[in-house]
Amino acid sequence: QEMESWNPNSFSVYHYDDNNLLNTTTFNSWNGDYNDWSEENALLTRKYKYNNDGLLTVVTTQNWEDVRNDEFNDISLYQYDSTGLLMTYRYLVSFSDPDTLLLVDTINYYYNDKKLLEDIVRWRISNGEWSYFDSTKLEYYPDGKIFKEFKFYWSPNENSFVPEHEYVHFYNDD
């Protein structure tokens, strides 16, 4: 009976290139016509770009108005080291001036000598100044599987990271 009242009103489409890398996604309104899957007036379009190693480097997001005005709503940038490990993520957003993107979020990734992710530190701009936002610390079993994951948030009042969650990971070896 619930299915009878279900009324879908949107759909998403994923487009891949010849290397099976995602290059475009669209989120579209839908009128319920099974013969009409047009992406012509997508509500949201994301485009993905990769480097020569097939690593994601840029994601651009546009809503329907941005597409019409040839502007971006936001851009995500990914930077890697020479071995392909993700080092930095940056998030830029368009605010009042559509020709200006403001960097609002940066995440740095740190690895141990075994190239296992050890620390994630996120910075966010607040009141025009950069400050810590949150962080994650990972510990590993000798076989390289995650053992513990510690989540922290930045407390401006204490001027330090404060524990938020601790997760212990268990694995079924069968």
Side-chain angles (χ1 to χ4, degrees), residues 133-137 150-154 161-165:
F133 186 74
D134 61 24
S135 69
T136 302
K137 172 82 174 157
F150 302 92
K151 301 275 190 180
F152 301 89
Y153 68 92
W154 181 255
F161 283 109
V162 176
E164 183 176 7
H165 295 291

Side-chain angles (χ1 to χ4, degrees), residues 15 46 72 78 86-87 92 96 98 119 125 148 173:
H15 298 276
R46 285 200 173 95
F72 295 107
Y78 302 84
L86 179 62
M87 299 304 294
L92 298 94
S96 57
D119 296 296
I125 198 158
K148 284 188 179 179
D173 293 328

